[in-house]
Amino acid sequence: MIINTLAAMAAGYVLSMVFGTPKKFRAQDIVSRIAAALAPKISAKYQDNEGGRRTAGIVFLLSLIAVTVLPVLVVLILLYCFIPALALVLDALICWSVLDIKGVTTASTGVARAMRGKNYAKAQRIASDLSRTDCSELDEKGLVRAAVQGVADRAVDSAAAPMLCMFLLSAAGGVFFTAADCAAEISDEGEDFTAPAEKLRRALCFIPGKFAYLMMLVDALFLKLNTRAAERVMKSDIKCTRSCFAGCRAVMAGIMGISLLPEEVYSEQFLRTYTIGEQLKDPEPADITLANSLLQGTAFIMMMMVFIVKLTIGVWF
């Protein structure tokens, strides 16, 4: 079964990189719709205070996982036991729907294309979706920063984290991470409601975030980029934000010689504003292209690492 799940994961990765993920088949969209339907129903059953909202958030997260992950896990186990060929196909299709790496590069390229066409409203909308921050007031330089930061973040939660989850549970692992990610992005119910999902997402991204920026440095070495600048920014800035995305952000900011979007972080009971990177030059659309190259290289190296480890386990055990 290990070799079969490895083949399914590899096939899903190749399909994602070559064709992208069809919008109607994208796991993120499907799980988001389920989450949007569940959240208000569960929230309405609990008291409207901090404790009640947090309890509702825990119930919501567990319910979403039960509705989305358990059916996939049970069906795949049964199919692998009785119809392995069909299980392999279904496993690969679900892995494909989870890994939306090409979708990230398409979105970031769309930001640059919209700016070239002077369609700043469209560029701001795409950058907001990509970086998951409000970009409605950003100028051209700010939009480039947002796009680069969004690509850096997606190297973790659209590539490294789903891959490691799929390494453990194949397609069901990818759906598990997607459920946590979608639950954390529910905005209508407040921070207390989404806090349990946000903690789970951060936990799932912690180790992948470390792997991702190390793989990104390796990719930068292959591309003969300025890795020393990246290491300098990492040493000075990575501890400031304490975010699972900080490593990849620091690598990209250092290599490109730009600073990314400012971020407010509580430090020693004070709200401080930190910015990753040094502004050695003005951000430019070419930085987005470079960010996409680093994302694709990081995802490839990560996939090769997972492939080799899982293949070794399959052969020897």
Side-chain angles (χ1 to χ4, degrees):
M1 184 180 289
I2 291 178
I3 299 299
N4 287 340
T5 56
L6 174 60
M9 184 177 172
Y13 168 77
V14 172
L15 288 169
S16 174
M17 293 298 295
V18 175
F19 301 107
T21 305
K23 292 183 179 180
K24 293 182 179 180
F25 185 61
R26 192 167 172 257
Q28 188 85 16
D29 294 338
I30 297 172
V31 177
S32 292
R33 287 195 292 269
I34 297 174
L38 278 177
K41 296 179 180 178
I42 294 175
S43 178
K45 296 180 179 180
Y46 293 85
Q47 293 181 352
D48 189 17
N49 54 43
E50 182 178 348
R53 288 191 295 271
R54 286 185 179 272
T55 302
I58 294 172
V59 174
F60 163 67
L61 177 60
L62 294 176
S63 300
L64 183 63
I65 291 172
V67 170
T68 57
V69 180
L70 289 183
V72 173
L73 184 61
V74 171
V75 169
L76 285 177
I77 290 174
L78 291 175
L79 287 177
Y80 271 121
C81 290
F82 299 105
I83 316 175
L86 181 58
L88 181 62
V89 173
L90 180 61
D91 203 350
L93 289 175
I94 297 175
C95 289
W96 179 24
S97 73
V98 170
L99 293 172
D100 193 24
I101 300 169
K102 188 172 183 179
V104 175
T105 61
T106 300
S108 59
T109 303
V111 175
R113 187 181 300 112
M115 286 194 298
R116 284 196 297 269
K118 306 299 181 181
N119 190 347
Y120 294 112
K122 181 178 180 181
Q124 290 166 347
R125 185 176 66 255
I126 299 173
S128 296
D129 292 338
L130 181 62
S131 64
R132 297 181 180 178
T133 58
D134 183 11
C135 300
S136 59
E137 302 296 328
L138 296 181
D139 57 9
E140 287 192 17
K141 295 177 183 178
L143 288 171
V144 172
R145 291 190 182 98
V148 171
Q149 181 169 304
V151 173
D153 293 353
R154 304 294 79 77
V156 178
D157 62 19
S158 290
M163 284 181 183
L164 285 185
C165 288
M166 288 190 289
F167 170 79
L168 298 174
L169 288 173
S170 192
V175 176
F176 177 75
F177 177 80
T178 302
D181 190 34
C182 292
E185 289 298 314
I186 294 291
S187 59
D188 296 337
E189 303 298 333
E191 292 184 1
D192 292 329
F193 184 82
T194 58
E198 181 61 32
K199 289 181 179 179
L200 176 59
R201 179 170 66 175
R202 289 180 181 177
L204 292 175
C205 286
F206 180 76
I207 294 177
K210 304 293 184 184
F211 277 115
Y213 80 73
L214 291 175
M215 297 304 103
M216 192 173 289
L217 281 173
V218 173
D219 183 43
L221 285 172
F222 278 117
L223 296 175
K224 298 181 179 180
L225 300 173
N226 189 359
T227 55
R228 289 187 178 181
E231 292 171 0
R232 184 174 65 253
V233 172
M234 288 170 60
K235 289 179 181 179
S236 62
D237 295 348
I238 195 172
K239 293 181 181 180
C240 297
T241 62
R242 298 177 181 177
S243 167
C244 55
F245 305 123
C248 289
R249 291 180 183 180
V251 172
M252 288 194 179
I255 288 173
M256 297 171 193
I258 64 174
S259 61
L260 300 181
L261 298 178
E263 183 175 2
E264 294 182 339
V265 179
Y266 279 100
S267 177
E268 300 176 356
Q269 298 182 344
F270 293 98
L271 185 62
R272 303 178 185 273
T273 300
Y274 293 103
T275 302
I276 290 181
E278 300 174 304
Q279 193 63 42
L280 302 179
K281 69 176 185 63
D282 289 335
E284 53 191 15
D287 293 328
I288 298 176
T289 302
L290 179 55
N292 286 334
S293 297
L294 289 169
L295 167 64
Q296 292 170 342
T298 300
F300 176 77
I301 296 172
M302 195 77 186
M303 184 65 207
M304 289 300 100
M305 184 184 71
V306 169
F307 186 91
I308 291 170
V309 172
K310 197 161 187 175
L311 181 62
T312 303
I313 295 173
V315 170
W316 288 99
F317 299 98

